[in-house]
């Protein structure tokens, strides 16, 4: 079983600031990592797939990087609508799993 | 536009059964794998089960193996989750999520809005 850990658990930032979220896998998952955004009362939305590819309609301020066991989601300049919970996800070995999430909150 | 609509949730006593449905539209259902993912109140996401486009591959998280069964009816564009021997820790919002591949080995996009299952005496 591949376990994902995310840090920090909570990130307190102001609009316009840069957000850097981390995801670490317990073993190599190549580039098989995605990132999802979830706002209160809403379903998750795919942001990034294969570690660094933006999903359709996702603004360019969202970017992903990493491979192997360490991955990063960066939001270059936070907009008010970006305050949400972000989950990483790995799709290896017929047993997908999610990280525990990072909450990006308004400082 | 792709839509997934879950139903069948409710309040059920421990040990009882429930069947969830996920009706889809806007895409060729038989071309894609699909998943169930759950979220306990105030908690994170937990993948529950997947099924490939033709139903030949089915996998489950360990905590539901032997109790839950995922199935699909491609003629009705509908996904199911039969949940037996329910336990209080199965209480969650259950989402269905379309995979981007036929074998259900890819990313989850999009998701439905979820149906709430509460297991309580």
């Amino acid at each position: 079983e591949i376990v994902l850990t995310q840090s920090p658990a909570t990130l307190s930032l102001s609009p316009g600031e840069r957000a850097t979220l981390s995801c670490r896998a317990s073993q190599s998952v190549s580039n098989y990592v995605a990132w999802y955004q979830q706002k209160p009362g809403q379903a998750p939305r795919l942001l990034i797939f294969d570690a660094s590819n933006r999903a359709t309609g996702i603004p360019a301020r969202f970017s992903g990087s990493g491979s192997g066991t360490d991955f990063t989601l960066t939001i270059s300049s936070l907009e008010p609508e970006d305050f949400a919970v972000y989950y990483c996800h790995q799709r290896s070995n017929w047993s997908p799993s999610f990280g525990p999430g990072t909450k990006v909150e308004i400082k | 536009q792709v839509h997934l609509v879950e139903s069948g949730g409710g309040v059920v006593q421990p040990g009882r059964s429930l069947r969830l449905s996920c009706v889809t539209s806007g895409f060729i259902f038989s071309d894609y794998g699909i998943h169930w993912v759950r979220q306990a109140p105030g908690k994170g996401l937990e993948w529950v089960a997947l099924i490939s486009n033709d139903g030949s591959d089915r996998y489950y998280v360990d905590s539901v193996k032997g109790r839950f069964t995922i199935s699909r009816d491609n003629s009705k564009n509908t996904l199911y989750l039969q949940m037996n021997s329910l336990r209080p820790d199965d209480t969650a919002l259950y989402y269905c999520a379309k995979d981007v591949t036929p074998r259900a080995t890819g990313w989850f996009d999009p998701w439905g809005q979820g149906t709430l299952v509460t297991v309580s005496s």
Side-chain angles (χ1 to χ4, degrees):
Chain A
E1 178 192 356
I2 297 174
V3 176
L4 300 177
T5 56
Q6 290 186 243
S7 61
T10 303
L11 198 51
S12 299
L13 295 168
S14 301
E17 289 193 294
R18 182 183 188 89
T20 302
L21 288 67
S22 295
C23 175
R24 175 164 288 178
S26 58
Q27 63 188 80
S28 177
V29 292
S30 184
N31 68 331
Y32 299 153
V33 161
W35 292 89
Y36 299 83
Q37 177 193 64
Q38 187 177 34
K39 297 179 182 179
Q42 296 186 17
R45 176 176 71 146
L46 179 67
L47 295 177
I48 301 287
F49 64 93
D50 289 344
S52 60
N53 296 288
R54 275 190 303 278
T56 303
I58 301 304
R61 64 181 181 272
F62 291 92
S63 63
S65 63
S67 66
T69 60
D70 292 297
F71 300 87
T72 301
L73 173 69
T74 301
I75 310 171
S76 59
S77 178
L78 283 163
E79 296 288 338
E81 62 268 26
D82 298 337
F83 292 92
V85 180
Y86 293 84
Y87 296 95
C88 59
H89 161 220
Q90 65 79 24
R91 62 178 181 91
S92 298
N93 300 329
W94 295 105
S95 184
S97 59
F98 294 91
T102 290
K103 182 179 181 180
V104 179
E105 65 176 22
I106 300 175
K107 187 174 182 179
Chain B
Q1 195 169 5
V2 176
H3 281 111
L4 301 93
V5 179
E6 304 91 337
S7 63
V11 180
V12 62
Q13 293 179 328
R16 304 298 292 263
S17 298
L18 210 56
R19 188 176 85 153
L20 306 184
S21 299
C22 170
V23 176
T24 72
S25 60
F27 66 103
I28 302 173
F29 184 68
S30 58
D31 281 354
Y32 294 93
I34 196 162
H35 303 259
W36 287 103
V37 179
R38 67 185 178 184
Q39 187 169 35
K43 302 297 184 182
L45 302 171
E46 181 183 37
W47 171 78
V48 174
L50 68 82
I51 186 167
S52 58
N53 65 319
D54 61 359
S56 60
D57 297 315
R58 309 182 194 204
Y59 290 87
Y60 302 89
V61 68
D62 285 348
S63 60
V64 308
K65 283 179 183 175
R67 300 189 299 123
F68 290 12
T69 301
I70 189 171
S71 63
R72 62 190 296 159
D73 185 336
N74 285 348
S75 69
K76 296 182 178 179
N77 295 336
T78 302
L79 171 73
Y80 302 101
L81 185 68
Q82 178 67 43
M83 304 187 295
N84 298 333
S85 303
L86 281 161
R87 310 187 304 216
D89 62 356
D90 293 318
T91 293
L93 186 63
Y94 283 74
Y95 295 102
C96 58
K98 173 186 164 292
D99 197 284
V100 299
T101 70
R103 300 288 307 283
T105 55
W107 311 119
F108 301 0
D109 184 39
W111 302 51
Q113 287 303 305
T115 186
L116 182 62
V117 173
T118 303
V119 184
S120 174
S121 54

